[in-house]
Amino acid sequence: MKLIQKKVDDKDAVWLVERIIGSFEPGLPLGNVTSQIFSNIYLNELDWFIKHKLKIKYYLRYCDDFIILSEDKECLEKLIQKVGDFLEEDLKLTLHPDKIIIRKWKRGIDFLGYVALPHYRVLRTKTKKRILKKIKQKKLSLDKKMISQKSFETSVQSYFGVLKHCRGYKIKKKINFIS
């Protein structure tokens, strides 16, 4: 709230934000549009720290997921402590120990449902399975007249949108077969 109060001069807006944040315990409402806005406001401090204090060139963050790229493994290992300390001391957050991964770029970087490799992206296997399962469920619902054809087609188009950002030809074929 201190960060929001520092940036937002409107008392009514601050009051509303306090109500939204206070209505969800603990933390922010995941999946709620406000959670993305709040994470960007709150974690802007992390962005600034990594880009300007640590001078990291290759850093990418979406909500609370982030990656740092470097050819220097030792540098990355040292960054874990520095970033962890900043998060704990300044933002009262902690790095999830099971989600800190240092690996070679050639093996791919699992980020936001995709695996990014040096020259292309593929859909994460878990995401692929989830998409196919949901499409099959939607198809059953359509067949039982529980949802409309338009609703089904909207879902299919949404998944095709996800597949536009990776090599997803085979899964697109499977979706077309199901539908």
Side-chain angles (χ1 to χ4, degrees):
M1 282 309 304
K2 288 177 187 172
L3 288 172
I4 291 170
Q5 289 168 345
K6 196 165 93 175
K7 305 254 184 214
V8 178
D9 202 21
D10 185 316
K11 288 180 184 177
D12 292 333
V14 171
W15 175 86
L16 181 59
V17 169
E18 284 177 337
R19 295 302 164 277
I20 292 169
I21 291 175
S23 67
F24 294 89
E25 291 294 331
L28 294 175
L30 293 178
N32 188 321
V33 175
T34 58
S35 65
Q36 293 174 7
I37 294 166
F38 294 146
S39 69
N40 280 334
I41 291 168
Y42 199 64
L43 293 174
N44 179 60
E45 305 295 312
L46 174 65
D47 299 340
W48 191 88
F49 174 75
I50 289 176
K51 295 296 280 182
H52 300 285
K53 286 268 188 178
L54 299 178
K55 307 271 190 227
I56 301 301
K57 186 174 181 179
Y58 301 108
Y59 164 74
L60 177 68
R61 180 182 62 80
Y62 179 80
C63 290
D64 64 341
D65 293 322
F66 66 92
I67 57 175
I68 297 172
L69 301 174
S70 174
E71 292 180 359
D72 186 345
K73 182 179 178 181
E74 195 175 303
C75 171
L76 289 171
E77 288 169 346
K78 289 177 185 175
L79 282 175
I80 294 169
Q81 186 66 47
K82 289 178 183 178
V83 171
D85 289 347
F86 172 81
L87 287 171
E88 285 184 35
E89 292 167 17
D90 290 53
L91 299 178
K92 309 301 181 241
L93 297 172
T94 56
L95 288 172
H96 193 296
D98 297 337
K99 294 187 178 184
I100 299 169
I101 301 166
I102 296 177
R103 66 160 33 132
K104 295 199 181 287
W105 170 242
K106 289 183 249 176
R107 291 187 55 210
I109 296 172
D110 187 338
F111 190 64
L112 304 177
Y114 300 96
V115 177
L117 294 144
H119 302 290
Y120 63 95
R121 274 183 307 278
V122 295
L123 204 57
R124 180 191 298 151
T125 302
K126 192 167 121 179
T127 306
K128 189 185 319 178
K129 288 179 181 177
R130 188 173 59 245
I131 286 174
L132 290 173
K133 181 181 176 184
K134 287 188 176 200
I135 287 290
K136 287 175 186 174
Q137 289 170 342
K138 289 261 185 185
K139 179 65 172 151
L140 283 174
S141 295
L142 175 66
D143 293 344
K144 293 179 182 179
K145 310 260 188 252
M146 296 169 67
I147 63 167
S148 68
Q149 181 70 31
K150 184 176 180 175
S151 174
F152 178 75
E153 288 172 10
T154 300
S155 295
V156 169
Q157 291 307 311
S158 174
Y159 291 127
F160 284 166
V162 169
L163 294 170
K164 282 183 181 180
H165 302 286
C166 66
R167 288 193 180 171
Y169 175 75
K170 287 181 183 177
I171 188 169
K172 191 172 180 180
K173 250 174 95 170
K174 286 180 183 179
I175 291 172
N176 280 327
F177 179 76
I178 294 167
S179 55

